[in-house]
Amino acid sequence: MLELSHVHKVYRVGAFGGGRLRAVRDVSLTVEPGEVVSLIGESGSGKSTLGKMVLGLSRPTGGTITFDGTDITTIRGHAARKEYYRRVQGVFQDPFSCFNPIFKADRVFEMIRTSYFPGVSDADWRDRVLAALATVRLDPGNVLGKYPHQLSGGQLQRVLIARALLLDIKLLVADEIISMLDASTRIDVLNLLSDLKERGLGILFVTHDLSLGNYVSDKSVILRKGAVAEMGPTLRVFENPLHPYSRHLLSCVPQLHRTWAEVDAELAANPPEDVVLPVAADEESAPLLEVEEGHFVGIDQG
Ligand SMILES: Nc1ncnc2c1ncn2[C@@H]1O[C@H](COP(=O)(O)OP(=O)(O)OP(=O)(O)O)[C@@H](O)[C@H]1O
């Protein structure tokens, strides 16, 4: 469904745009229907830039991004872009900033109707809205007719997901969608993503939080400095991390049942084996080694 092939992004930076910042380097990955793929990395690793490129909000400097066989950089004109967004939508970190505080929150549904379904009757549209709200497990009485400030962050995030579902999308780009939610709401939204996956939606789940990636995804892609450090089925990557960066990230995840002292003592007694990776030939390419079926490790760039 979604395929990124050797995607690069270089930003022009500096006072006169004379500098170059390589934000994404040689990234290839796929997202299939009903698959959740986590893009995991620390701040500045290029996760959001990849999400924006998939959403057509930023153009790749190199490589291709295809959705159902169409190179999305060739999509031009209002009508073609609108069709793309009928199938691919994004939801972002801060749900509050997506709503105009002077309008009721459910206006976002009406905007979809005006733009995509002008011929649908009031009764039919109401049924569709109620079905979308049921899917995201929102009680219509709690959200319809309410202003954004009357709803919680978790409710607003669900309203935005319901809005995307009205379009019958195939791919959702979820960029740090639970970072601003409290712990109990986080789990609800993560479980909602699992429900959507069961319904066949592909999800590109962007997160800086390794444990969230582990909880929700079929496949994990760990990014470091814009390149893939490691990727593969989530279980394999988390049970057998091979890139030193993945190991470092995993060792930083707090383990609630153990103290730091216990973890440190164990690491000192059994230090992880160093994995010696060959060095890539140049700065631009970021080749991967397949170490077991579907499990790839990036050749270290130092
Ligand atoms: N429009 C832009 N112009 C110039 N540089 C940019 C732009 N957007 C992002 N960058 C730079 O590209 C790099 C990758 O940024 P990106 O936002 O993709 O990272 P991220 O992993 O999503 O980080 P965060 O979790 O902090 O959002 C960073 O060094 C960032 O400063």
Coordinates of all heavy atoms in Angstrom, one line a residue, residues 11-13 21-24 41-50 52 175-176 206 208, ligand 1:
Y11 N 17.0 19.9 4.0 CA 16.5 21.2 4.2 C 17.5 22.2 3.9 O 18.7 22.0 4.3 CB 16.0 21.4 5.6 CG 14.7 20.7 6.0 CD1 14.7 19.6 7.0 CD2 13.5 21.0 5.4 CE1 13.6 19.0 7.3 CE2 12.3 20.3 5.8 CZ 12.4 19.3 6.7 OH 11.3 18.6 7.1
R12 N 17.1 23.4 3.3 CA 18.0 24.5 3.3 C 17.9 25.3 4.6 O 16.8 25.6 5.0 CB 17.6 25.5 2.1 CG 17.9 24.9 0.8 CD 17.2 25.8 -0.3 NE 17.5 25.2 -1.6 CZ 18.5 25.7 -2.3 NH1 19.3 26.7 -1.9 NH2 18.8 25.1 -3.5
V13 N 19.0 25.5 5.2 CA 19.0 26.2 6.5 C 20.0 27.4 6.4 O 20.7 27.6 5.5 CB 19.4 25.3 7.6 CG1 18.3 24.3 7.9 CG2 20.7 24.6 7.4
L21 N 20.7 20.8 5.7 CA 20.6 19.9 6.8 C 19.9 18.6 6.3 O 18.8 18.6 5.7 CB 19.7 20.5 7.8 CG 19.6 19.8 9.2 CD1 19.3 20.8 10.3 CD2 18.5 18.7 9.2
R22 N 20.7 17.5 6.4 CA 20.2 16.2 5.9 C 19.3 15.6 7.0 O 19.8 15.0 8.0 CB 21.4 15.3 5.6 CG 21.1 14.1 4.8 CD 22.4 13.4 4.4 NE 23.1 14.1 3.3 CZ 22.8 14.1 2.1 NH1 21.7 13.4 1.7 NH2 23.4 14.8 1.2
A23 N 18.0 15.8 6.8 CA 17.0 15.3 7.9 C 16.6 13.9 7.7 O 16.3 13.2 8.7 CB 15.8 16.2 7.9
V24 N 16.6 13.4 6.5 CA 16.2 12.0 6.2 C 17.2 11.4 5.2 O 17.5 12.1 4.2 CB 14.7 11.9 5.7 CG1 14.4 10.5 5.2 CG2 13.8 12.3 6.8
G41 N 12.2 7.3 17.3 CA 13.5 8.0 17.4 C 13.5 9.2 18.3 O 12.4 9.6 18.6
E42 N 14.6 9.6 18.7 CA 14.7 10.8 19.6 C 14.4 12.0 18.8 O 14.3 12.0 17.5 CB 16.0 10.8 20.3 CG 17.2 11.0 19.4 CD 18.5 10.8 20.1 OE1 18.7 9.7 20.6 OE2 19.4 11.6 20.0
S43 N 14.3 13.1 19.5 CA 14.0 14.4 18.8 C 15.0 14.7 17.8 O 16.2 14.6 18.0 CB 13.9 15.5 19.9 OG 13.6 16.7 19.4
G44 N 14.5 15.1 16.6 CA 15.4 15.5 15.5 C 15.9 14.3 14.6 O 16.7 14.5 13.7
S45 N 15.3 13.1 14.9 CA 15.8 12.0 14.1 C 15.1 11.9 12.7 O 15.4 11.0 11.9 CB 15.6 10.7 14.9 OG 14.2 10.6 15.3
G46 N 14.1 12.8 12.5 CA 13.6 12.8 11.1 C 12.2 12.2 11.0 O 11.6 12.1 10.0
K47 N 11.6 11.8 12.2 CA 10.3 11.1 12.2 C 9.2 11.9 11.5 O 8.5 11.5 10.6 CB 9.8 10.7 13.6 CG 10.9 10.1 14.5 CD 10.3 9.8 15.9 CE 10.0 11.0 16.7 NZ 11.2 11.8 17.1
S48 N 9.1 13.2 12.1 CA 8.0 14.0 11.6 C 8.2 14.4 10.1 O 7.2 14.5 9.4 CB 7.8 15.3 12.4 OG 7.5 14.9 13.7
T49 N 9.4 14.6 9.7 CA 9.7 14.9 8.3 C 9.2 13.8 7.4 O 8.6 14.1 6.4 CB 11.2 15.2 8.1 OG1 11.6 16.3 9.0 CG2 11.6 15.5 6.7
L50 N 9.4 12.6 7.8 CA 8.9 11.4 7.1 C 7.4 11.4 7.0 O 6.8 11.3 5.9 CB 9.4 10.1 7.7 CG 10.8 9.7 7.2 CD1 11.4 8.6 8.1 CD2 10.8 9.2 5.8
K52 N 5.4 14.0 7.3 CA 5.0 15.1 6.5 C 5.1 14.8 5.0 O 4.3 15.1 4.2 CB 5.8 16.4 6.8 CG 5.4 17.1 8.0 CD 6.1 18.4 8.2 CE 6.2 18.8 9.6 NZ 7.4 19.6 9.9
D175 N 1.0 11.1 14.3 CA 2.3 11.7 14.7 C 2.3 12.1 16.2 O 1.7 13.2 16.5 CB 2.6 12.9 13.8 CG 4.1 13.4 14.0 OD1 4.7 13.0 15.0 OD2 4.5 14.2 13.2
E176 N 2.9 11.4 17.0 CA 2.9 11.7 18.5 C 1.6 11.9 19.0 O 1.4 12.8 19.8 CB 3.9 12.9 18.7 CG 5.3 12.7 18.3 CD 6.2 11.9 19.3 OE1 5.6 11.3 20.2 OE2 7.4 11.9 19.1
V206 N 4.1 7.5 14.6 CA 5.3 8.2 14.9 C 5.5 8.5 16.4 O 4.6 9.0 17.0 CB 5.3 9.6 14.1 CG1 6.6 10.4 14.5 CG2 5.2 9.4 12.6
H208 N 8.4 9.1 19.9 CA 9.8 9.0 20.5 C 9.9 8.0 21.6 O 10.9 7.8 22.2 CB 10.1 10.4 21.0 CG 9.3 10.8 22.2 ND1 8.1 11.4 22.0 CD2 9.4 10.7 23.5 CE1 7.5 11.6 23.2 NE2 8.3 11.2 24.1
Ligands
LIG1 N1 11.2 23.1 7.8 C1 12.4 22.8 8.3 N2 13.5 23.5 7.9 C2 14.7 23.2 8.3 N3 15.0 22.2 9.1 C3 14.0 21.4 9.6 C4 12.6 21.7 9.2 N4 11.9 20.7 9.7 C5 12.7 20.0 10.5 N5 14.0 20.4 10.4 C6 15.1 19.7 11.0 O1 15.2 18.4 10.5 C7 15.6 17.5 11.5 C8 14.5 16.4 11.7 O2 13.4 17.1 12.2 P1 12.0 16.3 12.5 O3 11.0 17.3 13.0 O4 11.7 15.5 11.3 O5 12.5 15.3 13.7 P2 11.6 14.5 14.7 O6 12.3 13.2 14.9 O7 10.2 14.5 14.3 O8 11.8 15.4 16.0 P3 10.7 15.8 17.1 O9 10.3 14.5 17.8 O10 11.4 16.8 18.0 O11 9.6 16.4 16.3 C9 15.8 18.4 12.7 O12 17.2 18.7 12.8 C10 15.0 19.6 12.5 O13 15.6 20.7 13.1

